[in-house]
Amino acid sequence: MSRECFRHLCSRIEENVGESVFKSEKYLNNLKESTDPKDKMTLKLMKCHEKSTGGFISGEVKLAITLRVLAGGSYLDLALLYDTSSSYAYEIFHSVIKNWILDDNLVKISGADYMNNEKRLEEVALGFMRKSNGVVAGCIGAIDGWLVKIIRPSYKDGVKYPGTFFSRKGFYALNVVAIVDRDKRVLYRVIKARGAEHDSTAFKNTKLYAWLERNWEWLQMKKYYFIGDSAYALKSFLLTPYDNVYHDTAEDNYNFFHSSSRIVVECAFGEIDLRWGILWRPLKFSLAHNINVVDACLRLHNFIVDYRLEHRKSTAMEELEKSLFDDECRRFLASETNVGSFGVVGGEQEVRRDADGNISRGGRPRELDVHLRNIGKDVRDRLRDKILSERRERPRTNWFRENNRFMGN
């Protein structure tokens, strides 16, 4: 985070909580020289703090301590660096996260607000369409699961079976389900899923999934869908890659463009994990605090992405080309497309699981699941045929190898 971005974050938080709560350096300096009777009690309290503990800790210092802990810093080093008590560092850390960073007025991540904002849906769809040169049309987000390491939950956390948090990768974890746009901005997240849960099961247990099942016809009419990897079941509102395809086929070409757009969610996870070093080791707080820490990392990531895009400069020609391409994309999305009954049948059958995440041995899929899977196949096949008709295909050369020939010598 740059200094300018940090100053912007401080000003936004001060606007939300008020200057008397944030207590910036400027506010504390002005308070010392204030003659206003309203500040008399605060000034007395401030002098008492100076005699007993050294004075108030400014909002900038509290925020800097929190960001440094999130970045992987030690509370012992921070106590020496910012001249605070080492035992007070984590109290500052949790207080700033809960009261300042997780404030929806600063950064809000809401799947309900996103899905009910048609203008925002169109912007995200245009972003994916623009980056894929018109191939991936109607995508409103890339979804994936992300395992965040934690220590073994205890009974104090209200966890009856801690083993359900032990992931397939050999550590206790939270399974974070996230949806991002083309700029790596997090549009939706669920952090409470257990590490042993399958990505598809974790997504099916969310309120967003229930909303998608209720409103799939509206999404189909708008030609909107999410994209995910093969861990998810194919639906009309969630397109996955073809299974067991051969190289240099129409299905393989579709998988390439699908993966090229979906990889943005992997890049978002990588950027978050690389920036916040606290995630490199298992989170050692209570389960509730661990969830708050992960949520704070995601919200701050969105804040940085928004700041980065807001201060990015573009030329007039780039803006003109962007507006012309967006008009073409809107005309394509507004065109009528009939849903046929043709297309290849992939092997993407949904794995049904019980409440504990174990594979269910009995029962049949619901009629709605079968219907949504068949529509999803038609949508995917039409996108595959569109790629084929435009003669687009997977690049035949490895870009990295071609541009780094000396490494193969």
Side-chain angles (χ1 to χ4, degrees):
M1 180 182 290
S2 64
R3 291 184 178 182
E4 292 76 13
C5 185
F6 177 76
R7 294 193 191 100
H8 183 56
L9 179 59
C10 290
S11 63
R12 285 285 307 280
I13 293 176
E14 188 175 13
E15 291 176 3
N16 293 335
V17 302
E19 62 177 7
S20 61
V21 176
F22 185 73
K23 293 184 177 64
S24 65
E25 294 282 358
K26 181 179 179 181
Y27 172 80
L28 294 178
N29 292 332
N30 293 338
L31 186 61
K32 293 178 181 179
E33 302 174 357
S34 176
T35 58
D36 192 341
K38 296 180 180 179
D39 298 331
K40 190 175 181 180
M41 276 305 291
T42 308
L43 188 57
K44 286 184 178 180
L45 186 62
M46 181 178 179
K47 290 180 179 179
C48 291
H49 273 274
E50 288 179 348
K51 292 179 180 179
S52 60
T53 61
F56 286 137
I57 300 176
S58 67
E60 290 92 343
V61 172
K62 289 183 177 180
L63 187 59
I65 290 174
T66 302
L67 294 177
R68 192 66 190 92
V69 173
L70 288 175
S74 169
Y75 72 98
L76 297 174
D77 296 336
L78 295 175
L80 294 174
L81 181 63
Y82 293 103
D83 194 22
T84 62
S85 170
S86 59
S87 61
Y88 193 47
Y90 273 123
E91 188 174 339
I92 293 175
F93 173 71
H94 291 300
S95 176
V96 169
I97 286 180
K98 181 180 178 180
N99 300 316
W100 294 0
I101 297 177
L102 298 187
D103 185 358
D104 286 342
N105 293 322
L106 179 66
V107 178
K108 186 176 183 180
I109 303 176
S110 172
D113 291 348
Y114 171 61
M115 296 306 300
N116 289 296
N117 189 340
E118 293 194 33
K119 182 179 179 181
R120 185 76 183 100
L121 291 172
E122 183 183 11
E123 290 175 355
V124 174
L126 290 174
F128 277 98
M129 197 169 185
R130 189 185 307 120
K131 292 293 185 178
S132 63
N133 292 324
V135 175
V136 181
C139 176
I140 54 175
I143 183 173
D144 201 3
W146 174 39
L147 293 177
V148 177
K149 297 178 182 178
I150 62 172
I151 61 172
R152 182 181 183 272
S154 66
Y155 290 104
K156 294 181 181 179
D157 297 316
V159 178
K160 189 175 181 180
Y161 301 107
T164 58
F165 285 84
F166 195 78
S167 70
R168 60 183 175 82
K169 295 188 177 180
F171 51 81
Y172 291 95
L174 290 169
N175 191 345
V176 181
V177 179
I179 298 174
V180 307
D181 64 9
R182 199 59 181 82
D183 295 314
K184 296 183 286 188
R185 185 188 292 104
V186 180
L187 304 172
Y188 174 77
R189 85 280 183 244
V190 172
I191 310 173
K192 297 181 180 180
R194 299 163 294 182
E197 282 190 71
H198 192 270
D199 288 350
S200 182
T201 304
F203 181 48
K204 286 189 67 176
N205 292 334
T206 63
K207 294 180 180 179
L208 176 61
Y209 188 88
W211 187 94
L212 293 172
E213 284 195 330
R214 292 194 304 268
N215 298 272
W216 67 269
E217 292 179 320
W218 179 80
L219 292 169
Q220 183 187 359
M221 179 187 67
K222 292 289 186 179
K223 306 182 187 68
Y224 287 153
Y225 54 84
F226 296 105
I227 53 177
D229 59 19
S230 55
Y232 297 94
L234 178 64
K235 302 288 183 182
S236 63
F237 50 79
L238 178 56
L239 298 188
T240 60
Y242 285 98
D243 288 342
N244 305 318
V245 300
Y246 292 99
H247 183 67
D248 203 22
T249 60
E251 289 77 17
D252 181 58
N253 292 333
Y254 163 85
N255 283 358
F256 169 77
F257 288 103
H258 178 279
S259 176
S260 298
S261 296
R262 191 198 62 81
I263 199 173
V264 68
V265 67
E266 305 280 2
C267 296
F269 290 156
E271 183 175 327
I272 295 169
D273 191 66
L274 185 63
R275 175 177 288 115
W276 307 120
I278 194 173
L279 304 176
W280 300 352
R281 301 179 298 272
L283 297 177
K284 299 181 180 180
F285 311 113
S286 66
L287 189 59
H289 280 157
N290 288 340
I291 293 173
N292 286 343
V293 168
V294 176
D295 198 13
C297 293
L298 297 178
R299 292 183 187 234
L300 288 172
H301 168 77
N302 275 11
F303 183 88
I304 294 173
V305 170
D306 291 336
Y307 181 85
R308 184 168 59 205
L309 296 176
E310 182 181 350
H311 292 79
R312 183 175 63 185
K313 297 181 180 179
S314 58
T315 63
M317 182 58 68
E318 289 176 346
E319 291 295 330
L320 177 61
E321 292 177 352
K322 176 181 174 182
S323 63
L324 292 175
F325 186 78
D326 287 354
D327 290 340
E328 293 292 333
C329 293
R330 289 190 179 94
R331 281 194 288 271
F332 178 84
L333 289 173
S335 63
E336 294 184 359
T337 306
N338 296 322
V339 178
S341 59
F342 58 90
V344 301
V345 178
E348 304 84 359
Q349 297 294 328
E350 185 170 11
V351 178
R352 296 185 297 282
R353 298 174 183 269
D354 57 24
D356 294 327
N358 300 317
I359 296 178
S360 176
R361 299 298 180 184
R364 295 179 298 176
R366 298 176 303 166
E367 292 184 4
L368 179 60
D369 291 332
V370 176
H371 184 57
L372 294 180
R373 183 170 66 241
N374 291 334
I375 295 177
K377 290 178 182 178
D378 290 336
V379 174
R380 186 176 62 178
D381 291 345
R382 284 187 284 110
L383 185 54
R384 176 207 59 187
D385 295 339
K386 175 178 177 290
I387 295 173
L388 183 62
S389 64
E390 296 178 358
R391 296 184 178 180
R392 298 176 183 267
E393 58 183 16
R394 179 191 294 270
R396 297 183 180 275
T397 58
N398 186 299
W399 180 91
F400 183 83
R401 185 177 298 171
E402 287 295 319
N403 289 272
N404 298 273
R405 291 179 177 273
F406 67 90
M407 297 185 66
N409 296 334

